[in-house]
Amino acid sequence: MMDVAKLARVSPSTVSLYLRRPSAVSPSAGQEIDRAISTLGYVPNLVAGGLAAASSKVVSIIVPSIRNAFFAETVSALQSELAADGLQVLLGHSEYAEDQEEALVRTALSWAPAAIVLTGLSHSAGTRKLLQASGIPVVEMWELGGKPIDMAVGFSHPQVGATAARHLLSKGRRSLAFLGARMQEDHRAEKRASGFAEAARAGGVSACEVLNHPGAATVEAGSLLLNRALQQVSGLDGIACSNDLIALGALFECQRQGIAVPDEIAVMGFGDLSFSASCIPSLTTIRPSGELIGKEVARLILGSIHGERPEGASRIVDTGHVLIERKSS
Amino acid sequence: MMDVAKLARVSPSTVSLYLRRPSAVSPSAGQEIDRAISTLGYVPNLVAGGLAAASSKVVSIIVPSIRNAFFAETVSALQSELAADGLQVLLGHSEYAEDQEEALVRTALSWAPAAIVLTGLSHSAGTRKLLQASGIPVVEMWELGGKPIDMAVGFSHPQVGATAARHLLSKGRRSLAFLGARMQEDHRAEKRASGFAEAARAGGVSACEVLNHPGAATVEAGSLLLNRALQQVSGLDGIACSNDLIALGALFECQRQGIAVPDEIAVMGFGDLSFSASCIPSLTTIRPSGELIGKEVARLILGSIHGERPEGASRIVDTGHVLIERKSS
DNA sequence: GTGAAAGCGCTAACAA
DNA sequence: TTGTTAGCGCTTTCAC
């Protein structure tokens, strides 16, 4: 920066100012600086900038797994929005483990990030304490219904489960099953399941089983779970899945066993993944809109950084969910 | 760090040394420091550390899109391996655009990262110059067959295409089509296509068309592409797809139109995604192992940082590809 | 094995 | 609108 300043015949602080607020510098000086930057090939050192400013142009995002299409969609949208404002994304995977999340939060804080984004509302006491003490803007995403540390963007998972149950009830289904995966760790999936069971019981079903596959939510898990459901629920005529991949596996398994969907069993998923509109039969599902979540998280973060921090009710954004009715139900 | 030093009754430099090389400090001093750290809840400032050390504990990863399951798998594996060594991942999306990639590289360099990971071997001249001038370890991944900037981990895409063509030929198929998406931007998919076409012609096929869908590689694109292939290739009896999602769409479309797979048309994909073993019929595909790529990239990076930088042939790692034969062919 | 001292490259008062 | 000045919190020689 000193070299740039020397070549442009201004002081380093003018260069610094120009880089951060170009309008605060006279146009002629700005042009000189621009020229000097490009002839020297100057690349600013954001590490030094972060140290001096006591806050770096980085946003730390912690998700359970980037291999999950939901979070990939959100991170992708978030990254695009933040990059437009010169913010970088520091990514971490908690693998659904609170202690791992706490370790990631600790490292994240060492970067003095402009904001921290976490997934869900369940965190260790240590994580909460670290974040509250830091004073850094925190956004919890993909879940609503508890008390957020700072801000939250998402939707109610029990309500998603209830929507699924009511849809199956409206189709005259009375022997239901909820097929979920990794629910011992994935609290949000577990909440969809309990919301489903509650609404199903309130609707007076004759049977409602919640089945869990301890491994990841995959197509194969869906096949396994459908078979277990057939064994455990007599007269099974409706299933809801915690993820479209599981629903797809269930559809395949029905096809293999000659079970007509939706005539014998109605199937619905969650996520509205890319294949859900095109599979056979097309899949009724609930769309949470990971992209919208990403955009809203970005909006809250940019608001916190630039203008004033959002206050009161505006610190919680409900992105809702949408039932997409297709042929599988 | 000064507070920790005061409480532990040592100098700040001893604390710093202990944090980086515990064995260089006497056990008694180490214990005192540990105690002081936990009573004070000290979190090191990596920004300051990065500035002083002129290199930060960050690895910048630039992929075309994290929503692509291939890259999600690699980034996931890579981040786990790096996190075990205290390295953070800075993520960027190029969206298959070289100028966007260059902008990301420029920002990445401002963080003085310990290493930079790029996708593929095609980059703008500016990107190459920036990286070469930086002296930072660079790993290009998911492609082999050109001259890497520094190190590379991946496989040959034309060879993948050739494997697909030979497989279909071995099944007696002679009217072939390659279904790809976004090939105007995704050079690797385009190379799989050209490798396929070349090997098909060398095998004496009667027809071989390469069809491109300009949008993303999705199930829906697969359905559209299959229909176009049916129109353009008379007697079509074998198709290879640049991605398992496209292949799944083709399978669905065949089912819709009553085309028997593999009897009338053999279908194969690329990627071995989670549904490929479970769909109907199960999908013959080629597995590139994104996870292995991630692990090998991590190995090269950790080698460059700790020990000496890999030299000569060991700077290029071929992770190969594996044909997974299933029922769709 | 430990400590003193000199920065790393920038930002942000504040003064001019 | 521009420049001067004093750090930001750590690492890294180099003595001791």
Side-chain angles (χ1 to χ4, degrees):
Chain A
M1 186 178 268
M2 287 184 76
D3 294 344
V4 171
K6 222 165 272 172
L7 191 60
R9 287 187 239 216
V10 292
S11 75
S13 58
T14 304
V15 177
S16 171
L17 186 62
Y18 177 69
L19 255 26
R20 281 169 300 112
R21 263 191 303 132
S23 63
V25 169
S26 69
S28 61
Q31 279 184 352
E32 288 288 339
I33 293 170
D34 269 335
R35 202 172 308 148
I37 285 175
S38 66
T39 54
L40 293 175
Y42 169 70
V43 176
N45 183 329
L46 290 179
V47 180
L51 180 60
S55 151
S56 61
K57 291 209 159 304
V58 146
V59 173
S60 177
I61 303 179
I62 299 172
V63 292
S65 164
I66 195 68
R67 301 175 65 166
N68 182 316
F70 298 165
F71 304 130
E73 194 182 349
T74 298
V75 170
S76 178
L78 191 45
Q79 197 273 340
S80 303
E81 300 281 321
L82 295 177
D85 249 69
L87 291 166
Q88 297 276 294
V89 165
L90 211 53
L91 186 72
H93 302 176
S94 71
E95 300 294 342
Y96 292 99
E98 286 190 0
D99 54 341
Q100 208 161 324
E101 185 185 60
E102 184 173 331
L104 288 168
V105 166
R106 202 176 290 276
T107 328
L109 286 176
S110 334
W111 283 100
I116 293 192
V117 180
L118 300 179
T119 310
L121 295 171
S122 309
H123 314 288
S124 71
T127 300
R128 295 179 161 276
K129 207 193 295 177
L130 278 170
L131 290 172
Q132 259 146 3
S134 74
I136 292 172
V138 176
V139 184
E140 289 163 280
M141 62 179 184
W142 276 93
E143 187 171 5
L144 244 48
K147 198 170 149 28
I149 297 172
D150 182 8
M151 294 174 278
V153 177
F155 55 92
S156 159
H157 289 261
Q159 279 178 23
V160 166
T163 297
R166 283 193 215 105
H167 175 69
L168 292 176
L169 285 165
S170 78
K171 298 293 172 183
R173 310 302 161 129
R174 290 295 178 273
S175 289
L176 309 182
F178 186 94
L179 312 186
R182 216 170 178 171
M183 291 199 290
Q184 72 282 9
E185 297 167 328
D186 184 346
H187 302 309
R188 289 172 294 286
E190 197 280 324
K191 280 175 184 161
R192 296 197 287 279
S194 52
F196 178 86
E198 199 170 312
R201 269 181 229 116
V205 297
S206 54
C208 177
E209 287 286 335
V210 171
L211 304 181
N212 180 46
H213 174 78
T218 61
V219 175
E220 201 189 346
S223 298
L224 297 170
L225 285 164
L226 184 85
N227 279 318
R228 280 177 45 199
L230 287 170
Q231 286 170 6
Q232 293 188 24
V233 183
S234 66
L236 181 70
D237 59 6
I239 64 171
C241 305
S242 72
N243 186 304
D244 278 0
L245 284 167
I246 296 176
L248 184 62
L251 287 183
F252 284 140
E253 195 59 27
C254 285
Q255 191 177 337
R256 251 176 237 120
Q257 306 206 4
I259 298 169
V261 175
D263 294 347
E264 294 177 64
I265 300 181
V267 175
M268 57 186 301
F270 172 71
D272 195 26
L273 300 184
S274 79
F275 55 80
S276 306
S278 324
C279 58
I280 304 178
S282 61
L283 184 65
T284 292
T285 189
I286 291 172
R287 180 191 297 161
S289 189
E291 194 177 338
L292 179 59
I293 291 176
K295 286 186 175 165
E296 289 296 317
V297 171
R299 203 172 54 73
L300 286 182
I301 289 175
L302 295 176
S304 302
I305 295 174
H306 296 130
E308 57 295 339
R309 286 168 81 137
E311 293 298 332
S314 68
R315 297 187 312 157
I316 296 184
V317 179
D318 190 342
T319 55
H321 66 265
V322 184
L323 175 69
I324 315 276
E325 190 171 344
R326 298 207 184 95
K327 306 227 169 116
S328 68
S329 64
Chain B
M1 187 178 268
M2 285 184 77
D3 295 344
V4 171
K6 222 165 273 173
L7 192 60
R9 286 187 240 218
V10 292
S11 74
S13 52
T14 303
V15 176
S16 171
L17 186 61
Y18 176 68
L19 255 27
R20 280 167 301 109
R21 260 190 306 128
S23 63
V25 170
S26 70
S28 61
Q31 279 185 350
E32 289 288 339
I33 293 171
D34 268 335
R35 201 172 308 149
I37 285 176
S38 65
T39 56
L40 293 175
Y42 168 70
V43 177
N45 183 327
L46 291 178
V47 180
L51 180 60
S55 153
S56 62
K57 290 209 157 306
V58 146
V59 172
S60 177
I61 303 180
I62 299 172
V63 292
S65 164
I66 195 69
R67 300 174 67 167
N68 182 316
F70 299 165
F71 304 130
E73 193 182 349
T74 298
V75 170
S76 179
L78 191 44
Q79 116 83 10
S80 302
E81 300 281 320
L82 295 177
D85 250 69
L87 291 165
Q88 297 275 293
V89 165
L90 211 52
L91 186 72
H93 301 177
S94 71
E95 298 296 342
Y96 294 99
E98 285 190 0
D99 55 340
Q100 208 161 324
E101 185 185 61
E102 184 173 333
L104 287 168
V105 166
R106 202 177 291 276
T107 328
L109 286 175
S110 339
W111 283 100
I116 293 192
V117 180
L118 300 178
T119 309
L121 295 171
S122 309
H123 314 290
S124 71
T127 299
R128 295 180 160 275
K129 208 194 293 176
L130 277 170
L131 290 173
Q132 258 144 5
S134 74
I136 292 172
V138 176
V139 183
E140 289 162 280
M141 61 178 186
W142 276 92
E143 186 171 6
L144 245 48
K147 197 169 148 29
I149 297 171
D150 182 9
M151 295 174 278
V153 177
F155 55 93
S156 159
H157 289 262
Q159 279 178 23
V160 166
T163 296
R166 283 193 215 106
H167 175 68
L168 291 175
L169 285 165
S170 78
K171 299 292 172 182
R173 310 303 163 129
R174 289 295 178 273
S175 290
L176 308 182
F178 185 95
L179 311 186
R182 218 171 178 170
M183 290 198 291
Q184 71 281 10
E185 297 167 327
D186 183 346
H187 302 309
R188 290 172 293 287
E190 197 280 324
K191 279 175 184 160
R192 296 197 287 280
S194 51
F196 178 85
E198 197 170 314
R201 270 181 228 115
V205 297
S206 54
C208 177
E209 287 287 335
V210 171
L211 304 181
N212 180 44
H213 174 77
T218 59
V219 174
E220 200 190 347
S223 298
L224 297 170
L225 285 164
L226 183 85
N227 279 318
R228 279 177 47 201
L230 288 170
Q231 286 171 5
Q232 292 187 27
V233 183
S234 66
L236 181 70
D237 59 6
I239 63 171
C241 305
S242 73
N243 186 303
D244 278 1
L245 284 166
I246 297 175
L248 184 63
L251 287 183
F252 284 140
E253 195 59 28
C254 286
Q255 191 177 336
R256 250 176 239 121
Q257 307 205 4
I259 298 168
V261 175
D263 294 345
E264 294 177 64
I265 300 181
V267 174
M268 57 186 301
F270 171 72
D272 195 27
L273 300 185
S274 79
F275 55 79
S276 307
S278 325
C279 57
I280 304 178
S282 59
L283 184 64
T284 292
T285 189
I286 290 171
R287 180 192 296 162
S289 188
E291 195 177 338
L292 179 59
I293 292 176
K295 285 187 176 165
E296 290 295 316
V297 171
R299 204 172 52 75
L300 286 182
I301 289 175
L302 295 177
S304 302
I305 294 174
H306 295 130
E308 59 294 341
R309 285 169 80 137
E311 293 298 332
S314 68
R315 297 187 315 156
I316 296 183
V317 179
D318 190 342
T319 54
H321 66 265
V322 184
L323 175 70
I324 315 276
E325 190 171 346
R326 298 206 183 95
K327 304 228 169 112
S328 69
S329 64

